[in-house]
Amino acid sequence: MNRISSKPGQTLLLLLLLSTSLTLKSQNPQLPINKISLLFIGDIMGHDEQIWSAENRETHTFNYDDVFRYIKPILSESDIAIANFEVTLAGPPYMGYPQFSSPADLAVACRNAGIDYLVTANNHAADRGEKGIISTINKLDSIGIAHTGTFLNSACRDSLSPLMIYRNGTSIALLNYTYGTNGIKVPEPVIVNALDKDQITSDVERARSKNADIIILFLHWGTEYDTIPSKSQTDLAGYFFSIGVDLVIGSHPHVMQKMVWVKNPSPGKDGVVIYSLGNFVSNQRKPRTDGGSIVRIELTKVGNAIKISDAGYYLTWIYTPLEKYRKKFFILPCSEYENKPDFFSAPAEFSQMKKFITDSRALLYKQNISIMEYIFKENSWVLSN
């Protein structure tokens, strides 16, 4: 048998090192560990049929709470839920495409369901002009749901952007931009954040100066109905990671695009890019537009060091049965309902959801990198392997 022997001087050195280690441990208690979960939610639309569905025909009031009935447990479970609000709250006449204005009750229902923050810079932000932008901002403020992306003037932008979120010992900077506003000019002094590389670079530097642990860009970009990110999207994502952005979240195509957990895009950090979340609720019913994804990202902070510790997604589908001759809208978590054909009012509806699930998994299982689906098993949600 071989034995390891040591000289007296070596033994003394080992004892001194052990004593020093024990002293340091007693002077430095275990570093605090904080976790925070983020949910990112796709396009909240307001087509005509959605408005009619929410209206009480006798009182001419509106209620959208039922829309979120089946998805609310997932939304309320997270620490922070952020969604793309792709309508204006410009007041009547309420209408959908092409120039959206929904009742403010839609935002109330979002808040009631557990959505904490809305991003409002998108191609429909200026649908009702300056008055529509102002009205949307003021109504969201009165409802008490925080938002970013559109501003009353430059002074408001300077004081309110980035939107700083503080939760569980973590500071998060949220920034939101759009590629355009459908050719509608945004008149001064109101502002809709434009997807301008130089402006975003400056805003990221400002977020860093505010000691943000995590910087999130929520971008309205890409090509409508295209499931493959454009070269512009991939190039921009790479650039934003290089300047210190942690999460790049995409909307606009109305269909899902790939999700990538990027390992160490900048020294010592990971990043996540979700090229397109797809639709959360709308009346679009063509293949791939009748649903979308909710992405859940978990952050873990140990002392002052923070990392992405988990990332996954829930598939969601928009169920539109007829009830008392009126089209209803319900957002369903797909995995929970994909084996419940009796839940649906007609076999064709169940089949349509199954097709959405099959198509979505074929796309995302092939293209995603390190981001898997949450599956409903035995009354709980687990990440698939």
Side-chain angles (χ1 to χ4, degrees):
M1 178 182 294
N2 293 325
R3 296 179 181 271
I4 300 175
S5 61
S6 61
K7 296 178 181 179
Q10 291 175 325
T11 301
L12 178 61
L13 178 60
L14 288 171
L15 289 172
L16 286 172
L17 289 173
L18 178 61
S19 174
T20 302
S21 175
L22 291 172
T23 301
L24 288 172
K25 284 184 178 180
S26 67
Q27 292 176 352
N28 294 279
Q30 187 177 8
L31 293 172
I33 299 175
N34 293 310
K35 290 191 175 184
I36 187 167
S37 57
L38 308 175
L39 285 188
F40 296 100
I41 300 160
D43 304 332
I44 297 174
M45 307 293 291
H47 291 104
D48 290 332
E49 291 84 350
Q50 293 171 256
I51 298 169
W52 300 334
S53 175
E55 184 181 11
N56 182 314
R57 305 294 166 79
E58 296 179 357
T59 62
H60 299 292
T61 56
F62 299 85
N63 190 309
Y64 290 85
D65 286 337
D66 271 357
V67 174
F68 304 95
R69 181 197 307 175
Y70 300 105
I71 203 68
K72 184 175 180 179
I74 291 175
L75 302 185
S76 57
E77 174 273 338
S78 67
D79 294 308
I80 296 171
I82 305 169
N84 174 45
F85 197 62
E86 201 160 348
V87 297
T88 71
L89 304 179
Y94 300 123
M95 64 177 289
Y97 184 84
Q99 294 183 314
F100 291 90
S101 179
S102 288
D105 306 88
L106 176 58
V108 172
C110 290
R111 183 199 63 194
N112 293 346
I115 296 173
D116 304 291
Y117 300 92
L118 295 173
V119 294
T120 54
N122 53 65
N123 60 308
H124 289 288
D127 278 0
R128 296 295 182 92
E130 179 183 10
K131 290 183 179 179
I133 295 169
I134 293 170
S135 178
T136 302
I137 292 169
N138 289 339
K139 286 180 180 177
L140 291 177
D141 288 343
S142 69
I143 291 165
I145 187 164
H147 56 92
T148 191
T150 55
F151 305 93
L152 295 177
N153 50 53
S154 58
C156 289
R157 187 187 190 281
D158 289 343
S159 63
L160 298 173
S161 182
L163 174 58
M164 296 300 298
I165 303 168
Y166 300 96
R167 199 73 55 90
N168 296 357
T170 301
S171 60
I172 297 170
L174 176 62
L175 295 159
N176 171 224
Y177 307 85
T178 179
Y179 75 92
T181 52
N182 292 342
I184 300 173
K185 182 177 174 58
V186 179
E188 294 182 352
V190 296
I191 294 172
V192 177
N193 271 353
L195 207 172
D196 178 86
K197 191 174 177 180
D198 292 337
Q199 181 64 62
I200 295 174
T201 301
S202 175
D203 291 344
V204 168
E205 290 173 357
R206 188 175 185 197
R208 193 179 295 108
S209 74
K210 292 180 176 288
N211 298 316
D213 293 312
I214 293 289
I215 300 174
I216 303 170
L217 296 188
F218 209 127
L219 305 178
H220 211 68
W221 64 351
T223 304
E224 284 188 310
Y225 315 117
D226 194 340
T227 59
I228 307 298
S230 67
K231 186 176 185 302
S232 172
Q233 285 173 274
T234 56
D235 287 350
L236 282 172
Y239 171 75
F240 292 137
F241 285 138
S242 76
I243 63 171
V245 171
D246 300 279
L247 308 177
V248 178
I249 311 297
S251 60
H252 176 60
H254 300 299
V255 296
M256 286 182 291
Q257 294 177 346
K258 68 180 179 179
M259 311 166 182
V260 180
W261 186 342
V262 186
K263 306 296 182 177
N264 295 317
S266 59
K269 296 179 70 177
D270 286 0
V272 167
V273 54
I274 311 298
Y275 284 101
S276 176
L277 291 159
N279 283 330
F280 188 52
V281 61
S282 78
N283 191 48
Q284 292 185 321
R285 306 306 293 168
K286 292 180 180 179
R288 299 186 186 275
T289 68
D290 52 345
S293 62
I294 299 173
V295 170
R296 184 183 189 275
I297 296 175
E298 183 182 84
L299 307 173
T300 299
K301 187 175 184 182
V302 181
N304 292 322
I306 191 164
K307 67 175 183 178
I308 299 166
S309 49
D310 224 339
Y313 65 92
Y314 304 86
L315 288 178
T316 62
W317 186 69
I318 306 151
Y319 176 40
T320 59
L322 286 176
E323 294 185 6
K324 296 181 180 179
Y325 307 103
R326 186 187 302 199
K327 193 174 188 178
K328 301 291 288 183
F329 291 81
F330 302 106
I331 304 163
L332 300 183
C334 291
S335 180
E336 186 174 352
Y337 288 88
E338 65 178 318
N339 297 311
K340 297 181 179 180
D342 294 341
F343 172 83
F344 298 84
S345 61
E349 293 165 337
F350 179 65
S351 296
Q352 187 177 352
M353 186 188 72
K354 294 285 282 186
K355 176 173 173 46
F356 170 79
I357 294 171
T358 300
D359 291 347
S360 299
R361 286 176 179 162
L363 173 75
L364 299 178
Y365 284 14
K366 180 179 180 180
Q367 296 193 20
N368 280 12
I369 298 176
S370 301
I371 301 181
M372 302 302 292
E373 183 185 356
Y374 278 100
I375 300 296
F376 194 71
K377 290 183 178 180
E378 299 179 357
N379 296 318
S380 63
W381 291 94
V382 295
L383 272 175
S384 59
N385 295 324

